[in-house]
Amino acid sequence: MIRVAAVGDLHMGKDGAGLLRPHLRDLSAYADVLLLAGDLTRCGDPEEASVLVDELGDVRVPIVAVLGNHDYHAGREDDLRGVLTAAGVQVLEGEAVTLSVEGTTLGIAGVKGFGGGFAGACGSDFGEREMKMFIGHTREVATRLEAALRRVQGAARIALLHYSPVVETLQGERLEIYPFLGSYLLAEAIDSAGADLVLHGHAHHGHEKGITPGGVHVRNVAQPVIQRAYRVYCFDKTNATSL
Amino acid sequence: MSTEEPATAHADEYRTEHLRDALAHDPATAELDVKVTLAGGRIVLTGHAATEAHRQAISDIARRVAPDLDVVNQMDLAEFGDGGEPESLA
């Protein structure tokens, strides 16, 4: 059995010391890995990342993360990534990692993702340069995600995102902002390459559970949605190895 | 809108967005997720804040942006706890 703990949108500020640490102390009793689905910080300030790293200090399982839009706000995402990496957190952006877990392997491919919308109501890379850049970025990220998923090894494979690939996990958000919350291009990439689970955040008023058109489980683990320090998802090893 | 209609007819809508914009851009809050409602001469703030200090910072900015209005901050503090019952995925 592979046990995956996940949370997104912690939005750690400089005032966040002591907020998480008590709840993560015993995490290794319940999970084999901790995945962080972006918006780790409030403003993208590396000092906020340092507070988060301290909060993660008692976690005794591997930690893998992607960044979210808040983590880019200060334009210091490389510094932020450096703080996290130095503390042993693996930060993925178009990259993948395979972990040994309970005698089997777990592959994780991660990207931030981006917006653009969903079938029937999405933007196109057409017209102004700015619009082409917007959707072009999403296409580029989706391509990186698909490539990372295709090359990652693992009896079970997870796509770790910040933005959502489907609308089901956005239910509760205002329809008008769906194009800023995710893109179908991410789901298409996932369905093309295959995965066992997609984890994302970003949609604070959304719904936890969804599924891609190709049948891959999607879970929105934004902290305001799960209302916990993390959620745990389990894979039966037999099912996972049947991929 | 007739030319006689005061320009403030939609001012509440603009003020609401100006406040949301301030909450997003002020480094003390960097908050995109506050619901701002302007009604009865009051600004009502709802949503989730990570800490009491963060909730207070949001109130402070609302008062600065709209000093002529009462600010009612009804934001909930984020709830943390353990992972709860795990979900088995087939």
Side-chain angles (χ1 to χ4, degrees), chain A:
Chain A
M1 183 74 78
I2 300 173
R3 304 167 303 167
V4 176
V7 63
D9 303 82
L10 291 168
H11 293 263
M12 186 60 67
K14 294 175 189 173
D15 60 342
L19 209 59
L20 273 177
R21 195 171 188 132
H23 306 293
L24 299 179
R25 192 166 288 139
D26 299 326
L27 184 138
S28 61
Y30 309 106
D32 305 303
V33 58
L34 173 62
L35 305 186
L36 303 176
D39 278 3
L40 312 178
T41 62
R42 191 176 288 164
C43 302
D45 184 332
E47 284 185 40
E48 296 171 334
S50 294
V51 176
L52 176 61
V53 160
D54 285 343
E55 293 298 289
L56 298 172
D58 291 331
V59 176
R60 295 289 172 257
V61 298
I63 305 173
V64 181
V66 294
L67 302 184
N69 54 312
H70 277 248
D71 304 317
Y72 281 78
H73 183 63
R76 300 186 63 188
E77 58 274 11
D78 290 340
D79 295 335
L80 199 146
R81 178 190 273 245
V83 170
L84 294 164
T85 303
V89 178
Q90 299 185 72
V91 183
L92 307 179
E93 181 52 51
E95 296 135 331
V97 61
T98 301
L99 305 172
S100 294
V101 175
E102 292 291 310
T104 186
T105 52
L106 175 66
I108 304 153
V111 294
K112 169 180 62 67
F114 203 47
F118 300 90
C122 56
S124 297
D125 40 2
F126 180 90
E128 301 93 325
R129 183 178 65 232
E130 290 81 0
M131 195 63 197
K132 290 172 183 164
M133 286 172 64
F134 178 19
I135 303 301
H137 179 58
T138 310
R139 286 194 188 283
E140 179 190 324
V141 168
T143 300
R144 283 207 299 265
L145 173 61
E146 182 176 340
L149 273 172
R150 286 193 187 283
R151 70 173 177 269
V152 71
Q153 303 292 311
R157 293 185 300 160
I158 293 176
L160 179 62
L161 313 171
H162 180 59
Y163 286 77
S164 176
V166 296
V167 295
E168 285 88 346
T169 51
L170 303 183
Q171 287 174 21
E173 297 281 1
R174 288 180 60 162
L175 276 172
E176 297 94 320
I177 67 168
Y178 276 24
F180 303 106
L181 298 178
S183 167
Y184 82 95
L185 293 169
L186 301 168
E188 193 172 25
I190 292 159
D191 283 338
S192 176
D196 294 277
L197 173 66
V198 186
L199 297 167
H200 75 85
H202 195 45
H204 294 196
H205 302 285
H207 182 69
E208 184 188 356
K209 297 180 182 179
I211 196 161
T212 69
V216 180
H217 295 296
V218 180
R219 296 293 180 267
N220 175 3
V221 292
Q223 201 280 330
V225 171
I226 62 174
Q227 292 278 300
R228 298 178 178 281
Y230 56 90
R231 279 279 281 151
V232 178
Y233 304 99
C234 299
F235 294 98
D236 184 282
K237 201 163 56 176
T238 308
N239 288 329
T241 52
S242 68
L243 276 173

Side-chain angles (χ1 to χ4, degrees), chain B residues 35-55:
Chain B
K35 184 176 181 189
V36 179
T37 307
L38 212 161
R42 299 189 301 176
I43 289 176
V44 181
L45 307 169
T46 52
H48 287 91
T51 63
E52 181 56 43
H54 191 50
R55 180 161 64 179

